[in-house]
């Protein structure tokens, strides 16, 4: 089985995108953290100022998944900025359904993303991977990715909504 | 000491570029800075800005030894979490050493938080080098969590030749 196409996501795809987001979150053992809805995805991806871009992998109907889906993989990305080198492409999510792995779909998605990055003058493509996710880390390293957390010591931090509010309200 | 925090204007790009280099020197990576104020102007102030920037300014009577009144900045952009929706990523936060300890860093990050909330963002993310203890302490005191320690996230990238090779890779 090698029949698939890659295409840009459209508003009608938000239900499939959310389904795949939840499947990936389940794999990362954080399914209960997904609070995004189809409405959010529609507004945020297809409004006047898209916050993200999405590529989808689609198979013909005769090769649909066990659950009857033809959208079987996706990559969500957006553009960020590095004050040292300029525009970057940031890969937020990248997932192919388990039953469709091993057919080169993931590699083809990654190739498409890197072509987009080069075409839009991005110097680099960045993303994060959980350190226990050895198979993904190997997949990326085989293709030339470097681990900046190990090589340069970068650590990822967050300040969540509650603390953002606390910071906004603090007097000078 | 009095100071203001304002949205950056195109004419601030030379000062921002100067401070970007100062921060890169502090982070021990000055040779990695490849862009100048020209790219900053093009990429931050065109019809499709790739970043937002705040500048901390002091009055003329408090200008620096080198004669600068723009003494700190925060550079950030909007990102997206497939779990939570709109988020902000703060790429750089910097105050010149002679102006630290006067609340400017705190005011800069609070203003980024304010802008984030106005745009319905649910989270602010950023990264810190593991040896940078003063910055680590500053952020932890503001309620930040180290996701690399807590959840094991590592930053990866495809850069330069690796990116080009990937783009050309046969299926």
């Amino acid at each position: 089985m090698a029949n698939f196409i890659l295409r840009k996501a459209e508003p009608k795809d938000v239900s499939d995108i959310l389904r795949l987001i939840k499947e990936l979150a389940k794999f990362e053992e954080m399914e209960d953290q997904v609070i995004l809805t189809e409405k959010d995805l529609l507004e945020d991806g297809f409004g006047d100022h898209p916050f993200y871009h999405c590529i989808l992998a689609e198979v013909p109907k005769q090769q649909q998944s066990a659950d009857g889906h033809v959208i079987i993989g996706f990559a969500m990305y957006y553009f960020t900025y590095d004050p040292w080198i300029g525009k970057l492409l940031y890969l937020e999510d990248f997932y192919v359904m388990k039953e469709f792995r091993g057919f080169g779909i993931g590699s083809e998605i990654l190739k498409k993303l890197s072509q987009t990055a080069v075409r839009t003058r991005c110097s680099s493509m960045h993303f994060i991977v959980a350190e226990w996710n050895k198979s993904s880390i190997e997949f990326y390293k085989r293709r030339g990715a470097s681990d900046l957390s190990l090589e340069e010591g970068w650590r990822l931090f967050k300040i969540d909504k509650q603390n953002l509010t606390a910071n906004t309200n603090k007097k000078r | 000491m009095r100071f203001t925090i304002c949205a950056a204007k195109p004419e601030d790009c030379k000062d921002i570029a100067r401070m970007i280099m100062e921060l890169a020197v502090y982070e021990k990576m000055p040779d990695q800075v490849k862009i100048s104020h020209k790219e900053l102007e093009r990429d931050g102030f065109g019809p499709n800005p790739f970043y937002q920037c705040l500048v901390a300014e002091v009055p003329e009577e408090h200008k620096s030894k080198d004669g600068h009144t723009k003494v700190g900045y925060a550079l950030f952009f909007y990102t997206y979490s497939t779990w939570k929706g709109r988020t902000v990523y703060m790429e750089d936060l910097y105050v010149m050493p002679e102006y630290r300890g006067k609340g400017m860093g705190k005011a800069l990050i609070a203003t980024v938080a304010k802008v984030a909330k106005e745009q319905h963002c649910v989270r602010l993310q950023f990264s810190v080098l593991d040896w940078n203890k003063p910055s680590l302490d500053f952020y932890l005191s503001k309620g930040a969590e180290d996701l690399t320690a807590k959840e094991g996230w590592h930053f990866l990238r495809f850069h330069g030749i690796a990116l080009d090779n990937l783009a050309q890779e046969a299926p």
Side-chain angles (χ1 to χ4, degrees):
Chain A
M1 194 280 296
N3 247 351
F4 65 92
I5 56 149
L6 297 184
R7 63 171 179 81
K8 270 175 81 157
E10 291 161 35
K12 65 179 171 119
D13 296 316
V14 292
S15 162
D16 278 294
I17 298 172
L18 188 59
R19 171 180 54 85
L20 293 170
I21 285 170
K22 286 181 174 170
E23 277 186 35
L24 177 52
K26 195 171 176 181
F27 169 70
E28 287 166 343
E29 295 164 12
M30 300 202 225
E31 197 184 4
D32 55 318
Q33 291 208 38
V34 180
I35 60 169
L36 207 58
T37 64
E38 284 179 26
K39 186 169 175 280
D40 295 323
L41 280 172
L42 199 58
E43 213 174 281
D44 296 337
F46 301 96
D48 293 328
H49 294 288
F51 280 80
Y52 69 85
H53 304 277
C54 202
I55 297 176
L56 301 178
E58 186 171 2
V59 293
K61 216 160 157 61
Q62 57 266 38
Q63 275 153 28
Q64 65 190 236
S65 73
D67 299 333
H69 299 296
V70 295
I71 306 289
I72 53 84
F74 83 112
M76 181 186 277
Y77 66 95
Y78 39 81
F79 295 99
T80 61
Y81 205 75
D82 182 318
W84 297 355
I85 51 175
K87 279 171 66 177
L88 305 175
L89 189 147
Y90 188 87
L91 178 56
E92 176 63 35
D93 267 13
F94 176 27
Y95 176 74
V96 174
M97 286 170 70
K98 211 165 172 189
E99 63 191 279
F100 293 90
R101 288 183 207 160
F103 298 109
I105 300 176
S107 296
E108 197 57 25
I109 292 177
L110 205 56
K111 180 184 166 186
K112 188 106 187 149
L113 287 167
S114 49
Q115 287 171 345
T116 302
V118 170
R119 193 184 67 238
T120 53
R121 277 187 305 102
C122 295
S123 317
S124 200
M125 176 158 68
H126 284 204
F127 48 101
I128 54 172
V129 188
E131 65 193 358
W132 52 258
N133 190 349
K134 303 274 185 248
S135 56
S136 292
I137 294 180
E138 284 312 306
F139 173 87
Y140 293 123
K141 282 191 155 172
R142 269 202 303 276
R143 285 160 179 76
S146 20
D147 184 335
L148 296 184
S149 291
L150 284 181
E151 284 176 29
E152 294 177 9
W154 290 101
R155 310 185 72 80
L156 179 65
F157 278 76
K158 74 164 181 187
I159 298 182
D160 65 21
K161 200 169 180 183
Q162 204 180 344
N163 286 291
L164 276 182
T165 310
N167 276 306
T168 329
N169 293 334
K170 271 186 191 165
K171 295 215 189 316
R172 262 201 209 168
Chain B
M1 182 187 289
R2 278 186 309 121
F3 61 87
T4 57
I5 308 286
C6 291
K9 298 186 272 305
E11 52 267 32
D12 293 329
C13 288
K14 285 197 173 131
D15 277 289
I16 299 169
R18 169 182 56 82
M19 289 189 279
I20 283 170
M21 183 54 89
E22 286 175 20
L23 179 52
V25 168
Y26 173 74
E27 287 168 342
K28 303 171 192 170
M29 300 192 234
D31 52 315
Q32 294 206 37
V33 181
K34 308 286 186 218
I35 62 169
S36 73
H37 68 273
K38 292 196 182 98
E39 284 83 5
L40 286 171
E41 268 175 50
R42 178 197 62 194
D43 297 334
F45 299 93
N48 183 21
F50 284 86
Y51 68 86
Q52 315 283 320
C53 195
L54 299 168
V55 176
E57 188 168 11
V58 295
E60 219 14 70
E61 62 264 28
H62 293 304
K63 67 187 189 201
S64 73
K65 319 194 277 297
D66 300 327
H68 301 297
T69 55
K70 310 240 161 84
V71 299
Y73 76 103
L75 191 147
F76 61 98
F77 38 77
Y78 297 104
T79 55
Y80 206 71
S81 158
T82 44
W83 299 352
K84 313 267 192 240
R86 298 182 192 184
T87 47
V88 165
Y89 189 89
M90 187 171 69
E91 176 65 33
D92 273 9
L93 175 65
Y94 176 76
V95 175
M96 288 168 67
E98 61 193 281
Y99 294 90
R100 291 185 197 156
K102 299 180 195 327
M104 283 188 223
K106 198 160 126 178
L108 279 164
I109 201 173
T111 312
V112 174
K114 182 164 171 252
V115 171
K117 292 215 67 196
E118 280 165 6
Q119 295 298 321
H120 310 290
C121 296
V122 299
R123 194 174 67 203
L124 171 62
Q125 282 194 179
F126 50 96
S127 51
V128 187
L129 286 160
D130 55 10
W131 53 258
N132 190 351
K133 192 137 191 343
S135 294
L136 290 166
D137 290 342
F138 173 81
Y139 292 123
L140 289 169
S141 75
K142 304 243 159 320
E145 288 175 70
D146 181 341
L147 296 183
T148 297
K150 193 174 167 195
E151 296 173 10
W153 294 104
H154 280 222
F155 272 116
L156 272 73
R157 73 171 179 193
F158 284 101
H159 188 66
I161 294 175
L163 186 64
D164 290 338
N165 287 342
L166 194 62
Q168 282 161 42
E169 198 183 82

